[in-house]
Amino acid sequence: MTKDDTAGIAAWLWREVDPGDWSGAALRPAAEERGRLVPVAEHERRYAGDREYRGLTVPLSLEGAPAAAFRRHAEAVEAAIGPADSVGSHGPTGPWYEPSPEWGAPFLRWRRPGAESLELRATATGAELSLQPTEPYEEWRQATFEWGEPSQSPGGFVIEYLTPANEGLSTPGGWRVPRWAALPPLLGAFLRTLPAETGAIGRNVSVTLFAGTRSVLAIRSAERLTVEGWFKHFSPGAEQGWSQRVERTVRSWTLDAGGPGEVDGERLARHLADVLKAEKVSSPAKLNKHVRGPEGAHTVLLGLGF
């Protein structure tokens, strides 16, 4: 599938399809032209109301490296209908509790307040463009974070641009775990797919962790995942992957954690937890963080665990 094909599908869904009341009568002609209707399941009824369907989707293939292929689709859609209002990763659990692809769960989203949203997202078989009613998904996401368990919560991250389309959008906060033992599974799942996801959406993400007011670690992801550390007590070594860096008079250590498909998430998460404990951080609850993302956007890292 070429960029022109992807752009044409996106423009058709966004500008031409009228989903009406999300019934078969309104949507079946469009689905017969191209696409697949997604019926509302019983466990989704509390969010979807009387709607018969919650999506009109068109599948897209990801040939070769999935992150690079997804990036090409993303560029084509943004060129066709404008910059996305939100981008990020759905995390290990996708919308409506669907399992996410092993390599990552990137998405770009265009939002009409109170009406429809168009989403480009990775799926188990490739990717898809999905026109969907805005309200049910956003209510499901908010309720899942408020009432669900961390092991069932979507996780991932979201970058929401300060656009008129996002007015009134409510974003849940991330989970905070109280004990070091609970941290590696959550943090590991987040880190494992992060470079593939940031590469796929074409945005960078960075978070600096503080012990009190002192910077201890910075985790940065573009097309590779790197960690920078400033240590008082921990003794890094080359056998752990750390290399020393001196910038002016500031001495720090860096760790190249890998690119898409290369990150051993849980091993890295256990190592970073050991580093923080060595730096006299008594629990994850004592950490402070500063998140950086694109300008003009609100960035929330949902799957960190602190």
Side-chain angles (χ1 to χ4, degrees):
M1 182 174 290
T2 68
K3 281 190 174 184
D4 289 342
D5 294 331
T6 303
I9 293 167
W12 171 71
L13 285 168
W14 189 239
R15 299 193 178 112
E16 298 181 33
V17 174
D18 180 3
D21 61 357
W22 288 93
S23 68
L27 282 165
R28 204 163 285 119
E32 289 171 354
E33 183 176 347
R34 57 176 116 170
R36 176 180 67 91
L37 290 175
V38 182
V40 174
E42 192 56 40
H43 74 280
E44 300 160 0
R45 180 62 57 195
R46 60 179 292 195
Y47 306 106
D50 294 331
R51 297 174 181 88
E52 186 178 353
Y53 296 98
R54 62 162 176 82
L56 171 61
T57 68
V58 179
L60 306 172
S61 62
L62 295 182
E63 297 178 0
F70 189 96
R71 176 77 168 268
R72 290 191 291 271
H73 287 306
E75 290 171 347
V77 179
E78 290 199 293
I81 65 174
D85 297 305
S86 302
V87 301
S89 163
H90 285 303
T93 304
W96 309 105
Y97 301 111
E98 295 175 0
S100 292
E102 185 68 16
W103 71 270
F107 72 87
L108 288 85
R109 203 158 184 254
W110 294 258
R111 182 179 187 259
R112 295 181 184 132
E116 297 87 42
S117 298
L118 179 67
E119 186 167 282
L120 169 65
R121 61 172 169 245
T123 67
T125 56
E128 69 182 17
L129 275 164
S130 176
L131 185 69
Q132 56 196 13
T134 297
E135 190 177 88
Y137 167 69
E138 292 181 1
E139 289 188 358
W140 169 83
R141 182 178 72 159
Q142 192 72 31
T144 300
F145 273 97
E146 288 180 355
W147 304 108
E149 295 296 326
S151 60
Q152 299 172 329
S153 66
F157 66 95
V158 62
I159 299 169
E160 291 169 345
Y161 287 90
L162 306 180
T163 62
N166 278 338
E167 185 175 347
L169 177 61
S170 179
T171 304
W175 284 93
R176 294 175 66 90
V177 297
R179 298 178 303 278
W180 290 116
L183 183 63
L186 284 176
L187 179 58
F190 177 82
L191 295 175
R192 184 180 65 82
T193 56
L194 190 57
E197 291 161 344
T198 51
I201 64 174
R203 274 78 166 178
N204 300 344
V205 166
S206 174
V207 56
T208 302
L209 308 182
F210 299 87
T213 59
R214 180 173 68 89
S215 304
V216 180
L217 291 173
I219 301 168
R220 302 186 177 99
S221 183
E223 295 182 1
R224 294 189 71 81
L225 181 65
T226 61
V227 183
E228 187 171 7
W230 301 268
F231 306 128
K232 282 188 174 181
H233 308 288
F234 174 68
S235 298
E239 72 280 0
Q240 300 162 318
W242 293 97
S243 59
Q244 196 172 68
R245 177 181 176 214
V246 179
E247 186 174 342
R248 296 181 183 174
T249 60
V250 178
R251 193 177 297 265
S252 64
W253 294 81
T254 60
L255 174 65
D256 182 351
E262 299 174 354
V263 180
D264 186 336
E266 191 152 349
R267 180 180 178 184
L268 177 60
R270 290 196 302 268
H271 178 57
L272 296 183
D274 289 341
V275 170
L276 291 166
K277 286 185 282 186
E279 288 296 305
K280 313 299 184 184
V281 180
S282 59
S283 79
K286 298 295 184 180
L287 287 169
N288 297 311
K289 67 178 184 290
H290 174 68
V291 178
R292 290 185 61 188
E295 290 188 12
H298 177 56
T299 301
V300 182
L301 308 183
L302 298 163
L304 283 172
F306 47 76

